[in-house]
Amino acid sequence: MQEQQSQQHQEEEFEPNIVGLLCHWCTYTAADLAGTTRTQYPPNIRPIQTMCSGMVDPLYVLWALLGGADGVMIGACHPADCHYVSGNYKCRRKTAVLKSILNTLGLEDDRLWLCWISAAEGQKFADTVAKMVNELKKKGPNPISKYWSA
Amino acid sequence: MTRFAALEVQNGNLIETLNSLWRQLFEKGLVDDLLIPQELPSGSNVVQTLVSNIDKLESPNPLAPVMSVNSARIVSQMTKVTPSPKKIGVVLRSCELRALIELVKLKQASLENLILIGVDCFGTYSVKDYVKLAQDGSSPADAFIKAVKEGKEDPSLRQVCQMCEYPAPMNADITIGLIGIDFEKSILIQAFSAEGEAILEALELKDSPEAEVTKRDEAIAKLIELRTKKREEILEQTQKDISGIDNLMRTFAPCVDCHNCRDVCPICFCKECFIDSPTFEMESEKYLGWAERKGTIKMPTHTLLFHLTRMAHMSTSCVGCGMCSEGCPNEIPIANIFRLVALNTQKVFDYIPGRSLEDELPASTYQERELLNVPEKL
């Protein structure tokens, strides 16, 4: 009983770390909007501003995941809305490649989320972070994080 | 635009017959220079050579079962800055041709003024194995051709060759056909372009009987089937060996961060690789911070990140030539891993590297309605 309780306690304690690679023209601004409108969302995400989802090199995602991040969110403009015409479409291709690689290597590709969130969707940003935190809590910590040798 | 011709083999000597073919290319002015593998005078290895004087064409042997360098790199080196002003005949294997097509698409090589001569390939040995085989003085190439004739597949060939589904060249102007052909009597020369046809014309070769062509096609299909089966067998094991973070770290444990696998890769062309860029020149505080957070970090850092990044950057164009495994000093089965990963990433876009100059590189194009399951459903 006590053991069960302590296990439960541990699970409650796990707070996932999410690295957010957010496009300046949409999701990053949406995060700003969520802030200025005082929309509450879990503080688990570390937003990093990028000029476009098309410039998110797969290396950044892999670096975060191998470094022990529990999740990575790429925030991109909705299809047909890219400030630079096609960056989000190219990002989708790169994400597909990356997910394929993670799958082949038996790593968890569902720790990587590609999200279409426009600059006006502050609420959607907050909801998405909450949803992602929830899903990652169910999954538990990134198994890579316990190794010093990765 | 395809034409088939038969080249009669004189006195059953395949190499001599091919030599006379190369000579005629020069003598009839069909090429000014020839890029062709030749046996070194010591006999201990076969290397690519650029021949401009026909008298110095001493020991050409494009059939020797060894590939020291993927020659697509060499062609890129020669044609990237300016296309060739002279007509060069370039003798390549299938994986070299396919890598070259990828490099042209990546704007790292030009096919202008090149005559691509593809040679059927039965597989190659590791350079170190070839050198060992050549040590006793006999030519490993001759023994190899003899074994092929008897229908034997040597288990000591490089693993990537044993599972290569492209024994016949693609996208060549002319191909030297050997698979399924009784090459003691004649070999099959095929032209796939106007330039190739002009060469057959100039060489005054007679048309090949249709039956020979069918025989080769059937033999190729059989070989592909055999190798695809072998591929599934090898890659199934590879999948088991690498799957999951524990196995992955075990597999890459011998990595010493030398980056040879990248340096010999024909597709990894970047002048400055991301991993060598200032992004990875970090203040000591960074390292100390990581160490503090984890208690210990492995040094050098980022070896696994290097391999995974390379997969993300180039696997859609990986032709499976296996030079990466050749370059690895610690025998990490890197080529098998890349073949496995690449098969899956290429499948995403139904892309086959080297298949056609018309197929756009997956990373440089997109469709508006595709990969709809990749973004999260929110």
Side-chain angles (χ1 to χ4, degrees):
Chain A
M1 187 66 186
Q2 208 176 6
E3 214 173 87
Q4 224 176 13
Q5 259 178 351
S6 80
Q7 207 180 357
Q8 211 172 12
H9 185 64
Q10 255 183 1
E11 270 171 28
E12 273 167 13
E13 263 193 341
F14 168 58
E15 287 294 338
N17 279 315
I18 300 170
V19 172
L21 299 162
L22 313 181
C23 162
H24 165 82
W25 301 100
C26 56
T27 315
Y28 194 83
T29 310
D32 224 11
L33 183 64
T36 49
T37 54
R38 310 283 170 104
T39 309
Q40 292 290 318
Y41 63 92
N44 303 54
I45 188 163
R46 310 285 181 275
I48 297 173
Q49 187 180 26
T50 67
M51 278 316 286
C52 175
S53 63
M55 66 149 282
V56 174
D57 195 292
L59 180 140
Y60 301 144
V61 176
L62 290 166
W63 198 345
L65 289 177
L66 291 178
D70 300 302
V72 175
M73 179 201 283
I74 303 176
C77 297
H78 284 271
D81 266 0
C82 177
H83 188 79
Y84 307 100
V85 183
S86 61
N88 51 354
Y89 291 129
K90 287 173 181 164
C91 176
R92 184 169 61 186
R93 285 207 154 198
K94 284 186 240 184
T95 307
V97 168
L98 204 41
K99 280 179 173 267
S100 161
I101 293 168
L102 293 173
N103 263 323
T104 306
L105 302 180
L107 306 176
E108 299 157 307
D109 75 319
D110 52 356
R111 291 188 184 275
L112 168 59
W113 286 33
L114 171 61
C115 306
W116 307 137
I117 299 172
S118 83
E121 295 175 320
Q123 187 61 49
K124 187 177 177 186
F125 173 76
D127 293 346
T128 304
V129 174
K131 188 177 170 197
M132 191 169 181
V133 168
N134 206 13
E135 295 290 323
L136 289 173
K137 277 187 177 170
K138 277 190 243 162
K139 279 184 75 68
N142 181 355
I144 297 169
S145 59
K146 67 172 190 274
Y147 295 99
W148 55 266
S149 53
Chain B
M1 192 91 91
T2 320
R3 232 199 93 192
F4 311 96
L7 176 65
E8 236 168 85
V9 173
Q10 299 128 13
N11 311 322
N13 193 331
L14 183 56
I15 292 296
E16 263 315 307
T17 306
L18 283 174
N19 285 357
S20 71
L21 176 71
W22 314 130
R23 288 222 168 76
Q24 284 185 63
L25 289 179
F26 269 107
E27 282 159 2
K28 299 197 167 165
L30 298 167
V31 299
D32 300 315
D33 291 74
L34 200 57
L35 186 76
I36 188 168
Q38 292 200 68
E39 272 182 49
L40 288 172
S42 65
S44 52
N45 199 6
V46 175
V47 297
Q48 268 298 5
T49 57
L50 180 61
V51 183
S52 116
N53 180 348
I54 184 173
D55 297 331
K56 292 288 180 186
L57 187 67
E58 285 169 1
S59 50
N61 193 350
L63 307 181
V66 64
M67 181 167 78
S68 317
V69 180
N70 186 315
S71 306
R73 284 186 78 91
I74 296 170
V75 178
S76 163
Q77 189 182 7
M78 286 171 57
T79 64
K80 189 177 98 174
V81 180
T82 55
S84 168
K86 288 162 84 187
K87 208 161 241 345
I88 312 177
V90 182
V91 184
L92 302 172
R93 296 169 192 282
S94 161
C95 55
E96 296 176 312
L97 260 167
R98 283 179 294 126
L100 179 56
I101 296 293
E102 291 304 291
L103 286 173
V104 170
K105 288 197 252 184
L106 291 161
K107 303 193 171 26
Q108 299 303 310
S110 159
L111 298 182
E112 210 178 310
N113 261 339
L114 300 190
I115 304 278
L116 302 177
I117 304 169
V119 185
D120 276 358
C121 178
F122 294 100
T124 59
Y125 296 105
S126 214
V127 174
K128 53 183 182 293
D129 291 341
Y130 187 88
V131 170
K132 253 182 243 159
L133 285 170
Q135 241 163 14
D136 64 359
S138 68
S139 163
D142 292 345
F144 179 73
I145 292 288
K146 200 167 154 253
V148 166
K149 228 179 299 177
E150 288 158 13
K152 285 183 205 150
E153 184 102 321
D154 190 339
S156 56
L157 286 176
R158 294 192 302 136
Q159 268 199 328
V160 281
C161 295
Q162 292 182 43
M163 59 169 156
C164 168
E165 328 84 317
Y166 302 98
M170 291 195 253
N171 293 310
D173 291 304
I174 60 172
T175 62
I176 312 282
L178 303 167
I179 299 169
I181 304 284
D182 183 4
F183 46 73
E184 270 176 338
K185 294 197 187 103
S186 75
I187 52 179
L188 185 67
I189 314 272
Q190 281 174 272
F192 291 97
S193 66
E195 274 167 318
E197 279 188 32
I199 289 176
L200 293 199
E201 206 70 47
L203 292 174
E204 293 163 24
L205 293 174
K206 56 176 196 287
D207 278 353
S208 172
E210 195 69 31
E212 284 291 285
V213 181
T214 323
K215 238 169 71 188
R216 175 166 177 269
D217 288 347
E218 281 170 7
I220 290 172
K222 220 174 114 194
L223 191 56
I224 291 174
E225 194 186 329
L226 186 83
R227 289 185 168 173
T228 308
K229 222 173 112 200
K230 186 81 186 170
R231 184 189 81 195
E232 276 158 18
E233 202 178 289
I234 293 174
L235 295 188
E236 194 184 340
Q237 187 57 44
T238 304
Q239 178 81 71
K240 269 188 211 142
D241 292 344
I242 60 162
S243 203
I245 185 65
D246 290 291
N247 288 328
L248 199 59
M249 287 198 300
R250 189 179 306 120
T251 307
F252 283 105
C255 178
V256 290
D257 209 24
C258 68
H259 299 173
N260 276 359
C261 49
R262 174 197 69 192
D263 294 348
V264 296
C265 174
I267 304 300
C268 268
F269 67 87
C270 296
K271 268 267 182 287
E272 190 182 51
C273 177
F274 202 156
I275 220 93
D276 296 333
S277 73
T279 304
F280 284 87
E281 288 168 12
M282 287 168 287
E283 306 84 351
S284 53
E285 281 86 349
K286 273 266 162 54
Y287 295 99
L288 295 168
W290 291 328
E292 198 181 317
R293 186 157 57 85
K294 287 198 162 184
T296 299
I297 52 164
K298 183 174 80 64
M299 302 296 278
T301 54
H302 305 124
T303 47
L304 196 53
L305 177 65
F306 164 72
H307 292 288
L308 266 59
T309 300
R310 222 165 69 77
M311 289 173 196
H313 284 176
M314 56 63 68
S315 71
T316 49
S317 285
C318 174
V319 295
C321 69
M323 286 293 103
C324 43
S325 272
E326 284 286 286
C328 181
N330 294 328
E331 297 181 1
I332 299 172
I334 189 103
N336 293 0
I337 299 167
F338 270 67
R339 275 238 62 190
L340 177 66
V341 166
L343 274 174
N344 289 332
T345 57
Q346 288 162 11
K347 216 182 282 165
V348 174
F349 307 105
D350 189 22
Y351 183 78
I352 295 176
R355 176 172 56 187
S356 162
L357 279 170
E358 312 292 312
D359 297 347
E360 273 187 280
L361 294 162
S364 64
T365 185
Y366 63 91
Q367 279 162 19
E368 287 183 13
R369 289 196 63 76
E370 64 170 1
L371 307 169
L372 299 179
N373 59 341
V374 171
E376 289 303 311
K377 304 273 175 288
L378 301 173

